[in-house]
Amino acid sequence: MSSTVPLVVRLLASSVSVANRAGKIVRDVMSKGELGIVEKGKDDYQTEADRSAQKCIIAALAAQYPKLSIIGEEDREENEPEVPSDWLVVDADKEVLALTCPADLQGVKEEDIVVWVDPLDGTSEYTQGFLEHVTVLIGISVNEEPVAGVIHQPYYKTMIGGEKKMGRTIWGLREAGVGGFTPAPPPDSLIITTTRSHSNPLVEKALQVMNASQILRVGGAGYKVLQLLEGKASVYVFASPGCKKWDTCAPEAVLAAAGGKLTDILGNNYKYGASVGKPNKTGVLAAVNHDLHNYALSRIPQELKEALANK
Ligand SMILES: Nc1ncnc2c1ncn2[C@@H]1O[C@H](COP(=O)(O)O)[C@@H](OP(=O)(O)O)[C@H]1O
Ligand SMILES: [Mg+2]
Ligand SMILES: [Mg+2]
Ligand SMILES: [Mg+2]
């Protein structure tokens, strides 16, 4: 039955299940208490949770879809040791499997797809105990464009029938919409969400010019986009290099499926083909609808755009 479901939809359904498993790895590493922190660069850390969650996601997706290009944030070893068998998730989310695939994506083949994996977005926050900011991101791009994505929150708590359930998984597919949460309209006043742990003078300048009523400083590109989708913030502004393609692919796809828009600070779309440069050099500007995105873009002064473009 599932072989009649178009590949993009099947891959999204598998990604939802795999992200859930990766989220459990993220929680298990934290509860064991041995984070195994490695410093990759300035303000740039990796933990055992980043490493193991990525191995799980890549192994599980590659086993089922061997011709995909999968690009993950963390370096891969030359000869990756086998992963535990229970990481090789084969389940696929039933609600997603039932989605209607956009007409132009129905014939897409594995070779046409690039999957961008951020096994743990918000690592700084993870190591500092801001666990609700942490997400697992799986973005699916076709012809350089993010068309579908998963944002999993390992530490989101819900009560179901008096029992606490940990974790939730938000997904989006172009033209089909979003699921896994209840979208909410933007707040009445301009509330900006931005970085908590990677600010600098350019980032602060772009915040000043927005004239916002409030600025929320939180971790992770995934969590900031969730704040937009849930009506906690209006615009996500980050006028700095630092984010990479795996940070924005899934959030951009989910946001776009909900009617929003994510670009760089100049208003240009990033491209997500296998050979693109990984850094998002010209920052991030995102909003839950196109009007708010236009408004925010109109507030960014030309010299700030040039400062980023010439970096
Ligand atoms: N100056 C910088 N150096 C390294 N990574 C940066 C960065 N600025 C942003 N990032 C990365 O972009 C993502 C969102 O950042 P922020 O939380 O500051 O908004 C994080 O992803 P990871 O946590 O997956 O590495 C973060 O590490
Ligand atoms: Mg990182
Ligand atoms: Mg990230
Ligand atoms: Mg990461």
Side-chain angles (χ1 to χ4, degrees):
M1 149 73 194
S2 69
S3 61
T4 62
V5 176
L7 174 63
V8 168
V9 173
R10 264 191 294 137
L11 177 59
L12 180 62
S14 300
S15 300
V16 167
S17 299
V18 172
N20 287 333
R21 184 67 190 87
K24 181 168 181 334
I25 293 173
V26 170
R27 289 192 298 269
D28 289 347
V29 169
M30 181 54 80
S31 47
K32 284 209 184 88
E34 283 171 36
L35 295 191
I37 297 173
V38 170
E39 192 172 357
K40 298 195 285 185
K42 188 179 175 289
D43 297 328
D44 195 5
Y45 300 93
Q46 181 202 68
T47 72
E48 184 53 39
D50 302 64
R51 293 187 287 275
S52 291
Q54 174 165 308
K55 283 182 190 151
C56 165
I57 295 166
I58 295 184
L61 293 181
Q64 295 178 80
Y65 307 96
K67 293 186 193 144
L68 285 181
S69 293
I70 308 178
I71 305 175
E73 172 177 357
E74 311 307 339
D75 284 345
R76 290 154 86 168
E77 292 163 39
E78 194 68 23
N79 290 309
E80 288 272 7
E82 277 191 22
V83 301
S85 59
D86 71 308
W87 289 9
L88 294 172
V89 175
V90 290
D91 299 344
D93 185 85
K94 299 218 166 32
E95 190 186 349
V96 172
L97 278 180
L99 294 175
T100 302
C101 187
D104 65 317
L105 297 178
Q106 284 184 5
V108 165
K109 299 188 288 296
E110 282 182 32
E111 297 89 320
D112 306 327
I113 298 178
V114 183
V115 178
W116 291 90
V117 176
D118 188 342
L120 198 167
D121 185 44
T123 301
S124 296
E125 285 66 29
Y126 181 69
T127 61
Q128 293 167 32
F130 296 95
L131 298 178
E132 70 277 24
H133 300 195
V134 168
T135 60
V136 174
L137 304 175
I138 304 178
I140 299 170
S141 71
V142 175
N143 291 331
E144 314 245 1
E145 186 205 338
V147 297
V150 172
I151 305 177
H152 170 76
Q153 274 185 300
Y155 290 98
Y156 188 86
K157 294 187 201 73
T158 29
M159 294 299 284
I160 296 178
E163 270 190 41
K164 195 165 82 180
K165 181 178 173 278
M166 283 295 257
R168 69 169 174 174
T169 308
I170 288 95
W171 51 262
L173 170 64
R174 168 146 71 69
E175 290 167 42
V178 291
F181 75 113
T182 312
D188 292 335
S189 62
L190 185 68
I191 303 180
I192 308 259
T193 182
T194 193
T195 184
R196 202 194 130 262
S197 54
H198 297 100
S199 193
N200 60 42
L202 267 186
V203 168
E204 295 305 317
K205 177 77 200 155
L207 295 172
Q208 276 165 25
V209 298
M210 289 292 154
N211 239 336
S213 67
Q214 203 184 340
I215 296 174
L216 308 175
R217 295 175 190 267
V218 301
Y223 187 62
K224 284 189 263 295
V225 164
L226 283 181
Q227 289 194 309
L228 300 180
L229 293 167
E230 294 199 291
K232 307 254 165 45
S234 331
V235 183
Y236 166 12
V237 187
F238 182 56
S240 169
C243 287
K244 320 282 185 324
K245 296 292 172 311
W246 43 75
D247 292 304
T248 50
C249 185
E252 180 175 340
V254 176
L255 188 62
K261 188 168 175 180
L262 185 150
T263 66
D264 71 359
I265 285 290
L266 291 77
N268 298 319
N269 284 111
Y270 283 115
K271 292 195 163 131
Y272 294 87
S275 55
V276 294
K278 295 179 174 74
N280 292 344
K281 288 188 185 156
T282 38
V284 177
L285 184 66
V288 75
N289 61 47
H290 289 226
D291 286 347
L292 276 167
H293 188 278
N294 276 337
Y295 169 77
L297 188 58
S298 74
R299 305 284 309 184
I300 306 270
Q302 190 57 27
E303 65 263 26
L304 206 155
K305 290 181 183 165
E306 281 165 17
L308 266 184
N310 297 328
K311 251 184 183 290

